């Protein structure tokens, strides 16, 4: 039998060799793995002349730590281990007591990386991995800053022995050097040529895709040279309706870009609680401290920060003003000054306590450099215990440069905290509510859901910074502020109560996203590679917090957390139905273990809640694959995908969901946006590419349950992330063109998709990809909406065959069109009568929405 097998093997090898010879290709060749901040390959027949595989193409990158400052691959060392599996080990930086391990079956697709800890040495440098087949064991030997050597062993590359010192002679580094664009150091292998061909093919495919992704309208004159006028016939098939999600358009809210404090949260006083701390900005700004945005004026007047007997332990600091004479003034400059409206009421409130014998009078003033004092009132401070006082101020002028001033009428000393100036006119007049114009603009999208509090903010910068919902509810002075991982401060003034309230006010479903027991993969503290999950001993309490959130939202008022909701003014439940666990996490073992614990416990405690899992930060790759694997194993109902891409990507990937397995998890496209390559800018072109892609989401609305553009809002001058959907300053709201695309989808959604066929007079692929159409019906209103996107440089003469017994329809037609480079385009709506077989001209570079009245 053995002989027969040997003969067959020889024969099959002979066949392969013969076919290789026929193609005049080598059997085998040398592969060289080297580092250029990531693993690259070159191949050679003679070890002398080397050809890179791909043009500067990196097959494996380090995923450890922050984007920008980390994610470095240092001294990678590649071997073939058990079952010829490729294993790469590398060092992460100069201080971490960890190294990296990645595994792959083919050098193209890699499994999620792991970052094992070691407990000996000063750091981990030049790790070398080897595999001993007879012991079925891997050994990693590394050196450190002191030139000492240590080894760890592992059977499964998951569990490692503790590090023990070894002699220098035990360290065998088989790296070699070649000459190719200078000297390259790395590892050499002799492989079947087919393996090298597979690498070349993988590169070619990526290169092809990158070229597609780089497609822009600026090249359209060339791309569509000689393009003849185009006509299209769209035939709808109302007899084949398909049920789709009616939650497709939602919004993603994260306190990023001053979206909450200084933004949607209507508070006008910055650092009202004197809790700003240099750590908020990574100790990079010496002015960012407890007195930021505050100033004291007046001869010998002082402003000090104290923490003895604060109003609440969660709010430990307050200010003490000491004045030796009348006129000492404590002022706050708001968030880039304060914008006020003439004749509107603003509620000023403050906690004070007397620190001197004599009672004090304080004048509260709103002043403007241009308009002088525009509102004033007097407060008396007469007690040495904390006392809250409030007064309404009504400005006599419209200004954008106001300051709040507290002016002492005599000498004295007093403590002050929680200084607030709040417009009465918040969205729906909610107390402690939201800035009306911004909240209305968001509501204008008619979002079916609101995601909160992120994004990265949800899982935080290190374990200690994970968003804790319990810190965001209750009286403002008892909420626990925190460092915002985007480099500023979060007061928690816009907390879970305000969030649930806003969702209810705009008829959107709340979709809270909670960390999966691990911090952001971009964390800079507590283990840059996200290995630092919440300790297992604390996971029970962490999971209970999540279960308590459901009780806070939905529980009876007799339950402990339902009672707190009622005390906040909302005895009725908020009807929470969805919870996301995790946010584009790196899918490590640490993540997987914690996610499964949370998922199982939450599903058991609240089977009525639909849980949303996570599939990493990209539309492909190791986290995407592993995230999906976990979702499939655990039957997670919905999974959150994220991708920020170029318009070319959105144009060329409209089939992304067409072949998704309908029996698996549904998709929540939780973060997406198109931006121009190289500048994170948007224009009509990016917005139309989103509109085009959203047509494919409607077509796949049976598998894609929800989608939210990200990020939602950004304050001019405080933007950490571009592009955003809506920009604003203190007095203006500036929606982008992308906003109108979202609005047209949000206002024209449906729960039924009517398929259609599109017959075009041109058959170039590039043309076909730039025209798309969908029809949806909203069964609640009976309204039918047709959406058409034309991303071609010429108008398309279109005939719509509605296949309806009705011959004519009253309809509205809304068109967003212009020059692709335009940054400001507004939708234009007109009333039309649509008759059977009528031709419509769909303008070049346009998005048209036709709403048929029932
Ligand atoms: O939307 C901005 C950020 O992008 C989110 O916080 C994060 O989830 C993603 O990387």
């Amino acid at each position: 039998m053995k002989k027969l097998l040997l003969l067959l093997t020889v024969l099959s090898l002979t066949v392969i060799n013969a076919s290789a010879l026929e193609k005049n290709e080598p059997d085998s060749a040398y592969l060289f793995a080297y580092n250029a901040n990531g693993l690259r390959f070159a191949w050679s027949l003679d070890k002398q002349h080397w050809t890179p595989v791909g043009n500067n193409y990196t097959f494996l990158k380090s995923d450890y730590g922050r984007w920008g400052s980390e994610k470095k691959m240092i001294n990678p060392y590649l071997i073939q281990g058990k079952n010829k599996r490729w294993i790469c080990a590398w060092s992460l930086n100069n201080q971490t007591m960890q190294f990296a391990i990645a595994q792959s079956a083919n050098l193209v697709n890699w499994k999620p990386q792991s970052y094992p800890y070691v407990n000996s040495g000063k750091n981990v440098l030049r790790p070398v991995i080897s595999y001993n087949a007879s012991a079925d064991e891997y050994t990693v030997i590394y050196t450190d800053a002191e030139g000492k050597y240590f080894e760890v062993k592992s059977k499964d590359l998951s569990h490692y022995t503790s590090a023990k010192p070894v002699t220098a002679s035990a360290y065998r580094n088989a790296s070699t050097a070649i000459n190719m664009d200078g000297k390259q150091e790395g590892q050499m292998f002799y492989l079947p040529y087919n393996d090298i061909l597979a690498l070349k093919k993988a590169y070619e495919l990526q290169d092809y895709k990158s070229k597609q992704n780089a497609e822009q309208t600026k090249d359209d004159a060339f791309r569509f040279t000689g393009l003849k006028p185009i006509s299209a016939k769209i035939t709808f098939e109302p007899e084949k309706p398909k049920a789709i999600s009616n939650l497709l358009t939602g919004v993603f809210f994260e306190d990023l870009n001053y979206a909450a404090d200084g933004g949607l949260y209507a508070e006008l006083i910055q650092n009202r609680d004197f809790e700003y701390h240099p750590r908020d900005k990574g100790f990079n700004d010496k002015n960012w401290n407890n007195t930021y945005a505050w100033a004291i004026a007046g001869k010998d007047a002082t402003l000090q920060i104290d923490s003895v007997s604060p109003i609440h332990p969660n709010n430990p600091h307050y200010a003490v003003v000491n004045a030796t004479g009348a006129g000492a003034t404590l002022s706050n400059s708001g968030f880039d000054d304060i914008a006020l409206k003439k004749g509107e009421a603003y509620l000023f409130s403050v906690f004070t306590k007397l620190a001197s014998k004599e009672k004090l009078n304080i004048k509260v003033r709103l002043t403007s450099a241009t308009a002088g004092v525009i509102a004033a009132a007097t407060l008396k401070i007469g007690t040495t215990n904390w006392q809250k006082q409030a007064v309404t101020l009504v400005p006599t002028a419209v200004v954008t440069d106001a300051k709040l001033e507290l002016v002492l009428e005599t000498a004295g000393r007093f403590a002050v905290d929680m200084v607030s100036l709040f417009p009465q006119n918040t969205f729906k007049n909610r107390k402690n509510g939201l800035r009306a114009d911004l909240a209305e603009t968001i509501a204008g999208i008619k979002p079916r859901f609101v995601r909160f509090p992120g994004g990265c903010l949800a899982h935080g910068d290190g374990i200690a910074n994970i968003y804790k919902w319990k810190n965001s509810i209750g009286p403002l002075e008892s909420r626990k502020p925190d460092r915002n991982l985007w480099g500023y401060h979060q007061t928690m003034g816009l907390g879970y109560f305000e969030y649930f309230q806003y969702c209810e006010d705009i008829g959107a479903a709340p979709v809270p996203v909670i960390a999966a027991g691990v911090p952001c993969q971009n964390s800079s503290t507590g283990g840059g590679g996200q290995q630092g999950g919440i300790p297992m001993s604390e996971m029970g309490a962490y999971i209970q917090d999540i279960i308590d959130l459901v009780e806070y939202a939905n529980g009876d008022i007799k339950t402990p957390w339902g009672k707190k909701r009622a005390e906040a003014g909302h005895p009725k439940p908020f009807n929470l139905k969805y919870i996301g666990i995790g946010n584009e996490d790196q899918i490590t073992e640490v993540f997987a273990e914690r996610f499964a614990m949370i998922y199982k416990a939450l599903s058991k405690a609240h089977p009525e809640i639909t849980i949303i899992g996570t599939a990493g930060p990209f539309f492909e790759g190791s986290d995407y694959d592993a995230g999906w694997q976990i979702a499939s194993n655990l039957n997670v109902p919905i999974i959150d995908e994220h991708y920020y891409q170029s318009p070319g990507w959105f144009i060329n990937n409209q089939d992304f969901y067409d072949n998704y397995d309908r029996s698996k998890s549904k998709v929540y496209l939780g973060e997406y946006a198109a931006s121009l390559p190289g500048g994170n800018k948007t224009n009509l072109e990016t917005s139309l590419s989103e509109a085009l892609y959203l047509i494919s989401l409607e077509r796949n609305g049976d598998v894609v349950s929800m989608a939210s553009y990200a990020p939602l809002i950004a304050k001019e001058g405080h933007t950490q992330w571009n592009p955003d959907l809506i920009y604003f300053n203190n007095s203006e709201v500036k929606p982008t063109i992308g906003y109108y695309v979202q609005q047209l989808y949000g206002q024209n959604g449906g729960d039924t998709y009517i398929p259609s066929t599109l017959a075009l007079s041109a058959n170039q692929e590039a043309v076909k990809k730039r025209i798309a159409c969908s029809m949806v019906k909203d069964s609640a209103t009976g309204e039918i909406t047709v959406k058409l996107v034309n991303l071609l440089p010429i108008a398309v003469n279109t005939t719509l065959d509605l296949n309806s017994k009705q011959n004519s329809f009253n309809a509205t037609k809304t068109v967003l069109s212009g020059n692709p480079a335009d940054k400001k385009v507004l939708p234009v709506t007109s009333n039309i009568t649509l008759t059977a077989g009528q031709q419509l001209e769909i303008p070049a570079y346009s998005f048209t929405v036709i709403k048929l009245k029932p």
Side-chain angles (χ1 to χ4, degrees):
M1 183 65 180
K2 266 189 184 165
K3 275 188 185 159
L4 181 65
L5 275 177
L6 190 68
L7 184 69
L8 284 174
T9 314
V10 170
L11 278 176
S12 67
L13 282 177
T14 317
V15 171
I16 291 166
N17 287 350
S19 74
L21 279 177
E22 268 165 32
K23 285 195 269 165
N24 193 20
E25 281 175 355
D27 282 352
S28 307
Y30 294 96
L31 184 77
F32 188 73
Y34 63 105
N35 184 23
N37 200 19
L39 202 62
R40 293 193 186 170
F41 299 119
W43 72 281
S44 168
L45 289 174
D46 57 7
K47 298 209 255 181
Q48 301 300 318
H49 304 91
W50 290 93
T51 309
V53 181
N55 184 11
N56 294 332
Y57 187 68
T58 304
F59 282 79
L60 172 67
K61 289 188 170 147
S62 180
D63 222 350
Y64 182 91
R66 271 189 186 273
W67 280 301
S69 56
E70 292 199 73
K71 302 224 184 281
K72 292 192 178 120
M73 180 178 271
I74 304 168
N75 297 124
Y77 194 87
L78 183 70
I79 61 162
Q80 267 191 303
K82 187 175 182 175
N83 299 329
K84 299 226 163 230
R85 209 171 165 73
W86 293 97
I87 316 290
C88 188
W90 66 94
S91 153
L92 299 161
N93 53 37
N94 270 331
Q95 63 281 348
T96 306
M97 296 296 285
Q98 285 167 283
F99 59 91
I101 288 284
Q103 308 183 40
S104 169
N106 55 13
L107 293 175
V108 176
N109 303 315
W110 292 84
K111 292 259 167 221
Q113 300 167 14
S114 59
Y115 311 107
Y117 281 89
V118 296
N119 55 358
S120 298
K122 291 281 165 205
N123 53 5
V124 183
L125 303 177
R126 299 184 75 85
V128 160
I129 185 163
S130 57
Y131 176 64
N132 177 343
S134 53
D136 186 16
E137 191 172 60
Y138 290 94
T139 303
V140 178
I141 303 188
Y142 60 93
T143 181
D144 76 350
E146 290 181 346
K148 293 185 178 149
Y149 291 86
F150 303 89
E151 80 170 18
V152 291
K153 288 182 180 290
S154 175
K155 292 269 183 203
D156 56 5
L157 297 176
S158 268
H159 305 88
Y160 292 81
T161 58
S162 77
K164 68 169 208 233
V166 288
T167 58
S169 60
Y171 182 78
R172 292 201 199 94
N173 188 324
S175 298
T176 175
I178 65 163
N179 271 320
M180 187 186 64
D181 293 337
K183 192 171 152 207
Q184 308 289 349
E185 211 181 291
Q187 297 79 48
M188 197 183 294
F189 306 88
Y190 193 56
L191 298 179
Y193 185 65
N194 275 344
D195 290 4
I196 290 163
L197 274 184
L199 292 178
K200 290 188 191 189
K201 243 176 146 177
Y203 163 72
E204 276 161 17
L205 185 62
Q206 279 309 321
D207 189 47
Y208 167 76
K209 289 184 180 173
S210 323
K211 284 182 181 132
Q212 282 194 331
N213 296 350
E215 285 176 5
Q216 280 184 249
T217 54
K218 66 182 171 53
D219 305 318
D220 278 357
F222 173 73
R223 182 177 299 114
F224 297 114
T225 313
L227 187 64
K228 304 253 167 35
I230 291 184
S231 58
K233 177 160 187 210
I234 301 168
T235 310
F236 293 96
E237 300 171 319
E239 71 287 0
K240 296 183 189 165
K242 175 167 83 169
I244 59 168
S245 165
N246 61 0
L247 289 178
L248 262 184
T249 307
V251 293
F252 161 102
F253 181 85
E254 175 170 13
D255 188 3
L256 148 74
N257 308 317
Y258 278 40
D261 294 303
L264 186 60
Y265 183 49
E267 174 63 80
L268 295 168
I269 302 302
Q270 181 163 202
N271 193 11
R272 68 179 175 194
D273 53 6
F274 302 94
E275 297 298 338
Y276 276 26
H277 192 283
R279 93 172 74 83
D280 297 339
K281 279 189 175 289
F283 298 91
N284 288 328
D285 180 350
K286 63 178 172 24
N287 294 321
W288 189 274
N289 55 37
N290 304 79
T291 60
Y292 189 84
W294 291 98
I296 187 84
K299 190 161 181 297
D300 297 331
T302 59
L303 169 67
Q304 283 168 329
I305 297 300
D306 205 342
S307 58
V308 177
S309 304
I311 309 172
H312 193 279
N314 285 346
N315 174 16
H317 300 100
Y318 56 88
V320 177
V321 175
N322 192 50
T324 52
T329 304
L330 175 67
S331 65
N332 185 281
S333 50
F335 294 91
D336 304 334
D337 291 342
I338 302 172
L340 298 168
K341 291 183 184 146
K342 182 180 170 182
E344 292 207 354
Y346 293 84
L347 187 68
F348 169 81
S349 65
V350 66
F351 279 79
T352 55
K353 63 177 176 179
L354 205 56
S356 55
K357 281 189 195 139
E358 298 301 317
K359 294 185 177 177
L360 291 173
N361 276 356
I362 290 182
K363 185 140 267 160
V364 182
R365 307 196 312 191
L366 295 173
T367 61
S368 144
T370 46
V373 177
I374 54 171
T378 304
L379 290 185
K380 291 182 188 314
I381 306 179
T383 157
T384 50
N385 294 322
W386 284 112
Q387 184 192 23
K388 185 174 179 184
Q389 301 190 64
V391 62
T392 300
L393 300 169
V394 181
T396 53
V398 183
V399 295
T400 55
D401 68 342
K403 298 204 179 342
L404 169 82
E405 292 182 346
L406 305 184
V407 187
L408 267 81
E409 290 189 347
T410 53
R413 185 178 167 84
F414 74 105
V416 55
D417 203 358
M418 296 304 292
V419 188
S420 171
L421 182 69
F422 227 93
Q424 206 170 62
N425 176 21
T426 56
F427 183 68
K428 304 251 182 210
N429 295 322
R430 295 287 174 206
K431 222 176 126 218
N432 191 46
L434 308 183
R435 191 176 135 176
D437 55 355
L438 263 175
E440 268 153 23
T441 308
I442 297 167
I445 293 175
K446 218 174 153 209
R448 301 298 190 283
F449 66 89
V450 180
R451 177 187 178 129
F452 176 92
C456 289
L457 192 91
H459 52 181
D461 183 9
I463 297 171
N465 191 233
I466 288 176
Y467 192 99
K468 292 164 205 72
W469 75 268
K470 288 181 179 170
N471 290 344
S472 80
I473 58 161
L476 294 178
E477 62 276 12
S478 71
R479 296 189 188 182
K480 197 170 181 181
D482 203 352
R483 171 172 71 94
N484 182 314
L485 90 166
W486 294 103
Y488 55 104
H489 183 87
Q490 40 181 340
T491 63
M492 305 287 178
L494 195 180
Y496 259 90
F497 182 82
E498 292 74 24
Y499 159 59
F500 285 143
Q501 180 69 78
Y502 182 55
C503 289
E504 186 176 89
D505 282 345
I506 64 173
V511 181
V513 172
I514 316 263
V518 292
C520 179
Q521 64 164 282
N522 208 10
S523 286
S524 64
T525 60
Q530 207 200 66
Q531 293 301 285
I534 291 177
M536 278 300 157
S537 57
E538 294 169 24
M539 278 301 289
Y542 183 73
I543 292 171
Q544 187 57 49
D545 277 353
I546 304 175
I547 293 172
D548 291 345
L549 176 64
V550 182
E551 186 174 292
Y552 181 72
N554 295 349
D556 188 274
I557 57 170
K558 292 197 193 90
T559 61
W561 292 100
K563 184 165 174 252
K564 288 193 194 292
R565 182 191 70 242
E567 282 164 4
H570 201 286
K572 282 196 190 143
F574 277 119
N575 201 16
L576 175 66
K577 289 185 180 152
Y578 302 89
I579 290 188
I581 300 295
N583 173 64
E584 61 173 48
D585 295 283
Q586 216 168 37
I587 312 295
T588 58
E589 285 174 13
V590 177
F591 166 88
E593 191 178 8
R594 284 158 182 76
F595 177 85
M597 282 174 82
I598 299 170
Y599 179 75
K600 286 176 188 163
L602 182 57
S603 322
K604 191 166 169 212
H606 287 290
E608 76 284 7
I609 297 287
T610 302
I611 299 178
I612 304 170
T614 179
F618 306 113
F619 65 91
E620 62 181 2
S622 55
D623 293 329
Y624 180 84
D625 294 342
W628 262 98
Q629 192 57 57
I630 290 176
S632 302
N633 294 347
L634 294 174
N635 280 328
V636 178
I638 305 183
I639 188 158
D640 179 17
E641 297 186 346
H642 294 180
Y643 35 86
Y644 295 93
Q645 292 294 331
S646 60
W649 188 93
F650 285 101
I651 291 170
N652 286 294
N653 284 278
Q654 291 168 70
D655 59 352
F656 194 74
Y657 295 108
D658 288 350
N659 299 318
Y660 258 50
D661 185 342
R662 266 53 190 170
S663 68
K664 292 196 168 171
S665 311
K666 305 274 181 239
V667 172
Y668 165 31
L669 175 51
E671 295 185 25
Y672 71 94
S675 62
L676 295 174
N680 293 339
K681 299 261 166 53
T682 58
N683 55 15
L684 180 65
E685 172 178 3
T686 57
S687 307
L688 290 180
S689 73
E690 287 157 5
L692 189 76
Y693 194 74
L694 289 172
I695 282 189
S696 80
L697 297 197
E698 284 193 336
R699 181 172 71 243
N700 287 288
D702 56 330
V703 66
V704 181
S705 299
M706 315 175 180
S708 47
Y709 182 103
L712 181 62
I713 59 174
K715 186 164 198 174
E716 288 174 341
H718 298 280
T719 301
Q720 296 89 38
W721 184 287
N722 276 304
D724 302 281
L725 200 63
I726 303 164
Y727 291 85
F728 65 93
N729 56 36
N730 283 347
S731 52
E732 295 162 295
V733 177
K734 305 175 178 179
T736 59
I737 307 174
Y739 168 83
Y740 295 108
V741 169
Q742 293 297 319
Q743 192 181 53
L744 285 167
Y745 272 91
Q747 293 187 351
N748 297 290
D751 52 7
T752 307
Y753 179 79
I754 315 287
S756 57
T757 53
L758 170 64
L760 275 179
S761 61
N763 64 1
Q764 295 104 300
E765 274 305 306
V767 170
K768 287 200 251 171
K769 282 181 177 169
R770 282 164 174 80
I771 303 178
C773 172
S774 69
M775 180 190 270
V776 295
K777 183 173 176 182
D778 182 352
S779 35
T781 60
E783 285 171 341
I784 292 179
T785 306
V786 177
K787 303 188 182 81
L788 292 143
V789 175
N790 176 12
L791 245 165
L792 290 168
I794 57 172
V796 176
N797 202 353
T798 308
T799 312
L800 297 182
D801 182 351
L802 300 175
N803 256 323
S804 165
K805 286 187 194 121
Q806 198 174 322
N807 267 334
S808 90
F809 288 87
N810 287 329
T812 55
K813 183 171 87 162
T814 305
V815 183
L816 200 56
S817 74
N819 186 312
D822 286 345
K823 295 204 168 300
K824 267 195 187 154
V825 176
L826 293 176
V828 178
T829 302
S830 54
N831 289 319
I832 60 167
T833 307
L834 200 66
T835 50
Q838 184 186 329
Q839 293 204 333
L840 285 174
E841 192 179 86
I842 305 301
Y845 300 122
S846 67
F847 176 32
T848 302
V849 177
I850 299 170
K851 193 162 199 157
L852 309 176
K853 304 277 167 59

